[in-house]
Amino acid sequence: MHRPTLRWLSAAAISGVAATALVAPASPAVAAPAAFCSDGSQPMITQAEVVDTFDENTPVTGLTVVKGTQPVQFTGRYTGHLENALGQGVDMLLFELSGAGIDTGSPRAGIWSGMSGSPVYAEDGRLIGAVAYGLNADNIPIAGVTPADYMKRAGVDRLGPAEVSITRRALSGVSAATEADLAGGTLPLLKTRKVVAGGAKANRLANRTLARVPGASAAARSARAGGFAAVATPTVIDDPLVPGGNIAVGYSTGDLFSGGVGTVTAICGSTVWAFGHPMDFAGETSLSIHNASAALIVPDATGQVGSYKQVSRIGQQIGTITHDGYAAIRGELGLIKGFGVTTHVYNAATQRIRTYSGSVVNPDMAPFAAGYAPAYAAIDTLDNFGIGTVRHVWRIGYRTRDGRTGILTNEQVYADRGELADQLAGDIGGDIASLTGTDLADATITSVTSHLTLRSAKAVDYRFSGAQKWSGKAWVKLGGSSVKAGRGVLVRPVYREYVNGKPQGTRTGPSKKFTIGRNAVGRGKVTFAPKGEESKSECVEDEDGEIFCPEFGGDDEGPRTFAALLEQLDALIPSDRALVTAGWNWKVGKAKGASQRRAGFVAPGKLSGSYTATFRVRR
C-alpha cells in the first residue's frame, strides 16, 4: 500500500492569441533531477524516491578503502528501510552489501568500523547516501545507510523557514516484526574509531589523561566513552581526498594527533561531507581534516567488538570540519584552525634533546591535548611507563573577548614510580580547564609551551630527616643544643634521599641564618617543611610588638574576578620549594609572647615530610 506523495508541479504560462486561434495544451514541466552538489556535479536520489521506487533487490554500488588510499568498489542490493529510525521523517535505508572484505575471507568482516561515510550509488551514479550503521557486531553484511538528502542538510540553519515533510510508502522488504526488533537497542552506528599518535603506550596514556583532565564538552565525553587506539604521527600523503576515500578528523594534530577515522561521502568544491553519522554530535565544531592510509581490515571473529579498519598513516591537516551533526560531519578544505602546542625536552645538563609540536584544533579538548603533550614527551623520551624525575615549566597564552592578552606561567617538580606522565598532564590540563571554563571572562587559549627537564629516569625524592647548626668550627646536630639569646644561629636541613622508593643516604641543604631575640627565654624550635605544606598557625606577636600572620587563600566562594583567578592559578608552589621556620618564646617584665621568623629555599628535588629540632635558649 502506498501513502500519498506530495509532488510539486511547475505550471507553464499560456499566452493569449486571437479569439479564433487554437490554444495548444501546456506540456507538464519535467522536474530537474535532485543534486547533492549545487553545480550538478553529483546528482542524488532522495529518500522518498528510494522508498517509493526501489524494489527489493534493486542493485547499488559503492566506494570504500580497504588498503592504502584508493577506493575500491563494492556492490549490493536494497532490502528495505526503517521508518523514522534517524529522526522524524528520516528513514534508515537498508542494503545487503558484498565485496570490500564484507562477505569474503575467514572470518568475514561484515560492515566494519571505518566504513562510515562510504557512499552508496544507484546504477545511474546518483548518490543514495552513506554507510553509517551496522545491525550488530556479528559481521552480517547488511548496512544502515543515511539518506543523502538528510546529509546535505548538515550545517544548514534548522531554525529557518519550515520545510515540507518527506513522505514515503510503508516498509518494503523488512517485516514489521523485524523492524520492531531492529529499531530497538540493536542498531549501533559504526562507531568512529578514535585514534591517537604514538603507539600502544600513547593509547593507554591518552585514555588515562582523558579520565584525569577536566572537561564536560561533547568531545570530551565522546572521547572518554570511545577510548583511543594507536596510529602514526601525521606525515605527508600527496593523494587528495575523494568520495569513498579515507578521512581522518582530529581534535589535535601534529605530534599529539588525536581524533577519528572514517570515509568521505561527497565533495562539492571545497566542502566535504563524511561519516553519515556524528563524530561527537557537537553541532558547530572545529576538527582538523586529513587524508589517511589503511593497512588492512581487521575482522572480528568474536562478535563482541566488531570489525574495523586499521589505519597505518595520517596526512597533514588540509582543512577543518565546522559542523558535527547527526547525519554527517561537514567541513572546508583549505581552512586551517588551531593554536600551537610545543614541548621542549631537556636532559639533566639542561641541553635540549627533543621538541614535540602540534596544534589543538578543537578548543573543548585543549585541557586534554595540552596536558597529553608533555606527558607523552616524558614517557617517549624516558622510554618507560611513568618512572622518573622531571621539572616542568609551562606557559599558557590566552586572549579574552575584550582583547586582553596574557601568559600564565607555572612550574612543578615531579618524581614518581609509575604515574609521572599522569601527574604532568594533570596540573597543566587543570590550568587550561580553569581558564577556558570560567564564567569570569570569555577566554581562549592562543598558545601552550612546555619546558620539560628530565633529571632522571628514576624517581628521586627527598625527605627531611634532620637539622644542623654551625658551631663556629663544624656542623653539629641542632636538636638538644643551646643558642644564646641575641645571637645569630646558622642552620641547615638534612635530607634522606630516596631512589625509586629506596633510601640511598643523606644530603644537606642550604644554610639560613636567624638572629634569636635578645629577650628570648626557655626553648625554641626550628622546623623544615615543604612550602606547600606550610602550617596555618594563628598570628603571633614578637617582643617588639610586630604581628606575624600566615597567608591564607581566598574564601570558599573562589575568585570573583578573572584577575583573581589568574592570581590563584599562578600561586602553584613547586614541590622542591621549602620553608625553614624558627620560633621562640620571649619575656619582657610581665609581658610574654612568641616570635617566629621564616626563610625560603630550594631543595635538590621533590620534597616530603618535615623535621623539627628543639634547642635551649641561653641568657
Side-chain angles (χ1 to χ4, degrees), residues 218 280-286 321-326:
D280 304 314
F281 202 27
E284 184 179 350
T285 191
S286 184
I321 295 294
T322 56
H323 185 81
D324 179 8
Y326 193 72

Side-chain angles (χ1 to χ4, degrees), residues 6 15 25 52 78-79 84 93 123 140 158 204 219 246 281 288 294 318 355 358 373 387 435 445 537 592:
L6 292 177
S15 299
D52 287 345
Y78 178 65
T79 65
N84 294 326
L93 308 176
E123 283 191 301
I140 66 174
R158 299 301 182 96
R204 293 190 293 270
N246 299 320
F281 202 27
S288 59
I318 56 175
T355 294
I387 307 171
L435 288 172
I445 306 301
S537 59
K592 298 179 180 180

Side-chain angles (χ1 to χ4, degrees), residues 201 378-385:
K201 59 187 173 186
I379 67 168
D380 191 45
T381 306
L382 292 171
D383 196 26
N384 64 46
F385 70 95

Side-chain angles (χ1 to χ4, degrees), residues 464 489-493 495 509-515 525-535 548-549 551 573 576-584 595-603 607 611:
F464 287 111
V489 58
L490 198 62
V491 299
R492 72 180 184 184
Y495 315 107
S511 60
K512 294 293 177 181
K513 185 175 183 179
F514 295 98
T515 300
K525 64 180 181 179
V526 171
T527 298
F528 293 94
K531 188 175 181 180
E533 299 176 11
E534 179 182 0
S535 63
F548 295 88
C549 298
E551 296 181 359
I573 300 174
D576 63 347
R577 301 303 196 269
L579 279 176
V580 53
T581 304
W584 55 86
S595 292
Q596 192 176 84
R597 298 288 188 274
R598 291 175 180 163
F601 61 96
V602 179
L607 286 171
Y611 188 87

Side-chain angles (χ1 to χ4, degrees), residues 194-206:
K194 299 289 170 59
V195 291
V196 66
K201 59 187 173 186
N203 172 18
R204 293 190 293 270
L205 174 60

